[in-house]
Amino acid sequence: MSETESGSAGPSTTTGEIEAALSAADLEWRAVGADDDAFTVAGVRPAYVCAPASVDEVAATVKAASAAGRAVIPRGAGTRMSLGFPPRAADLVLQTTGLNEIVEYEPADLTVTVQAGMTLGAIQERLRAEGQMLALDPPAAETATIGGLIAANASGPLRLMYGTARDIVIGTRVVNADGIVSKAGGRVVKNVAGYDLNKLYVGSLGTVGVIVELSFKLHPLPANEGMVVAAFKTAADAAKPIAALMRSPLGPAAIEVLDAGAAASLPDGLAVDGDGVVLVVSAQGFEKAIQRQLRDIQALCDQATGVQSIREGETLTSVWAALRSYSDPSAADLALLKLAVPPARGTVALATAHTAAQEAGFMPQTGAHAGSGVVYLRLQPDTWTTGALANLAALVTRLRGFARGEGGSLVLEACPLAALQGEAGIDPWGDAGSGFPVMRSLKENLDPKGTLNPGRFVGRL
């Protein structure tokens, strides 16, 4: 594939026919110019971009594209477009940002239903006025749309306490590949009938349906919060208090570990160097419980240096920002590797990724949701030379072998386009495993023409 291709590898509908179909759908659309890369998807420039303002317009658009044999790329704010293979075709980018309203909000029931194009930041602002929150804290919350975050199954440090999107989505409304609108679950917490199809759409990258509406269960805003920050000489030294925390009844909201590269973004006085790591433990709840938790957590960190408790103010805000930023895939010229291992092996995975990246010639930034066993390795050299790309490929292979040995996996969430190209291009997803035949069957049944995001998902589905 060349650096930027355009158009479709698909069947053969004339330009006039697809334009007539878009015009018939009566929505805002435009052709993409030869020098316009604003909506390019992994090197493939789409022919058209449209921005439906209603669910009916999304349905009409997908129906028209499907009938014309054209590929549709669903897109929110574009903060997660780095995930996946380059598409086999990208005739039409369908932006969901016009779907940006709260459909139904019942504070007394702790539930909300929103359209997919709302940003997470806008949703949180509305909920905050009622003393509630959506327990999802991925990076780029102010700009990322909720539909895009759910399609990518994005999460953040608070996944330890509240779980991930699969734990809080109670209802979905989608436009299927044939343009028919369907829904799963509902707008109340007690939905127990039938299959839980919500989980089919979480993390599906828009390959089996365009998410247009989502219902969530909510949580009260924590009454108080605090953090313990402690520096350790090595990740292995931090493993002991983490293991004790996980066995204890303290119930921390988040347990994060940052290597020296990732900790450089923390406020002054919290940095480490060499093989050192910073452990950050968050506690949320009522004041007396917070005081007890912070005291007990500090006692567990007796082998650390610079142990301090942070309760409020600019420093607390800055630490939270740093904890969420290291897993942000939206920066240019970034490679972001995500390892998932058993929680008890989180610090081992962080140390392994950090050391392997250094041996491959990179200056790594490595952070872990240590209580959940999720490790992010962030690489951003000055230039991605041919040698650096080769080192990245070798590093992915090495760490994928490590993760597999731990019973886990590795996904390349972002990388330079050149790393995916050619016969030696990196597979961003890795081995699909024994469940792949089921995934392929679902895709073939739900999207037989390959209309939605063709080729981007696991196994090039």
Side-chain angles (χ1 to χ4, degrees):
M1 181 182 296
S2 61
E3 186 67 19
T4 300
E5 294 182 347
S6 61
S8 168
S12 59
T13 304
T14 66
T15 298
E17 286 174 304
I18 187 67
E19 291 185 356
L22 287 170
S23 298
D26 192 23
L27 76 163
E28 180 183 341
W29 66 274
R30 68 177 177 83
V32 176
D35 58 349
D36 182 357
D37 286 331
F39 293 93
T40 295
V41 185
V44 182
R45 183 184 298 119
Y48 302 95
V49 175
C50 68
S54 69
V55 174
D56 288 344
E57 287 187 0
V58 174
T61 302
V62 174
K63 182 178 181 180
S66 176
R70 294 294 175 167
V72 175
I73 307 294
R75 185 183 193 275
T79 59
R80 299 273 164 175
M81 296 301 287
S82 60
L83 181 60
F85 287 107
R88 284 195 295 273
D91 298 299
L92 174 64
V93 166
L94 189 158
Q95 274 193 291
T96 61
T97 49
L99 306 176
N100 58 3
E101 295 182 355
I102 290 180
V103 178
E104 183 176 299
Y105 178 28
E106 296 290 348
D109 294 337
L110 286 169
T111 60
V112 68
T113 298
V114 300
Q115 291 188 316
M118 282 194 77
T119 65
L120 178 56
I123 297 170
Q124 299 287 34
E125 182 178 359
R126 174 67 184 89
L127 301 179
R128 198 176 298 118
E130 300 291 339
Q132 298 177 352
M133 67 175 190
L134 184 57
L136 201 61
D137 65 332
E142 294 303 317
T143 53
T145 63
I146 190 65
L149 293 172
I150 299 303
N153 194 19
S155 61
L158 292 178
R159 60 180 289 160
L160 177 64
M161 172 171 275
Y162 299 102
T164 64
R166 288 189 168 92
D167 301 297
I168 59 174
V169 173
I170 59 174
T172 50
R173 192 177 182 205
V174 302
V175 172
N176 297 306
D178 55 5
I180 294 176
V181 181
S182 64
K183 63 180 181 179
R187 297 180 180 179
V188 296
V189 174
K190 291 185 176 179
N191 291 300
V192 295
Y195 295 107
D196 187 1
L197 290 178
N198 295 317
K199 292 182 172 58
L200 173 66
Y201 301 110
V202 177
S204 66
L205 212 63
T207 55
V208 291
V210 181
I211 298 173
V212 292
E213 195 174 289
L214 290 151
S215 297
F216 296 95
K217 63 179 178 182
L218 304 175
H219 291 80
L221 283 170
N224 298 280
E225 67 174 330
M227 286 179 176
V228 170
V229 181
F232 291 84
K233 291 181 179 178
T234 67
D237 292 340
K240 182 179 177 182
I242 292 173
L245 266 172
M246 295 298 288
R247 291 194 302 268
S248 78
L250 292 173
I255 303 175
E256 301 286 297
V257 179
L258 309 179
D259 74 354
S265 60
L266 290 171
D268 291 342
L270 300 179
V272 291
D273 54 21
D275 293 329
V277 300
V278 173
L279 170 65
V280 182
V281 182
S282 168
Q284 298 182 347
F286 296 107
E287 180 58 29
K288 287 190 176 179
I290 294 288
Q291 293 176 6
R292 171 65 185 272
Q293 286 185 69
L294 296 181
R295 188 167 60 247
D296 289 355
I297 293 166
Q298 285 182 292
L300 291 173
C301 296
D302 57 345
Q303 299 299 313
T305 59
V307 181
Q308 58 181 290
S309 173
I310 303 172
R311 291 305 312 270
E312 58 186 11
E314 185 177 343
T315 301
L316 185 67
T317 302
S318 298
V319 173
W320 272 121
L323 296 181
R324 289 170 179 138
S325 65
Y326 70 73
S327 61
D328 186 352
S330 61
D333 297 324
L334 168 74
L336 184 67
L337 288 67
K338 177 184 177 183
L339 293 88
V341 299
R345 301 289 288 171
T347 52
V348 175
L350 180 139
T352 300
H354 173 88
T355 301
Q358 283 186 322
E359 292 175 355
F362 295 105
M363 297 178 64
Q365 297 176 338
T366 319
H369 306 320
S372 306
V374 176
V375 176
Y376 287 93
L377 173 59
R378 190 178 179 91
L379 308 172
Q380 203 166 16
D382 293 336
T383 306
W384 282 102
T385 62
T386 301
L389 291 170
N391 290 342
L392 174 63
L395 180 62
V396 169
T397 300
R398 177 178 175 181
L399 292 179
R400 193 162 268 160
F402 163 79
R404 193 181 303 116
E406 298 287 340
S409 62
L410 183 151
V411 173
L412 185 60
E413 292 204 340
C415 68
L417 177 60
L420 304 177
Q421 296 177 325
E423 294 183 0
I426 302 172
D427 180 341
W429 301 101
D431 182 18
S434 59
F436 182 68
V438 175
M439 297 168 65
R440 182 170 55 198
S441 178
L442 281 169
K443 175 66 174 176
E444 290 173 350
N445 280 277
L446 296 173
D447 184 15
K449 292 183 179 179
T451 300
L452 300 176
N453 245 350
R456 300 210 71 201
F457 201 41
V458 177
R460 297 185 185 275
L461 290 177

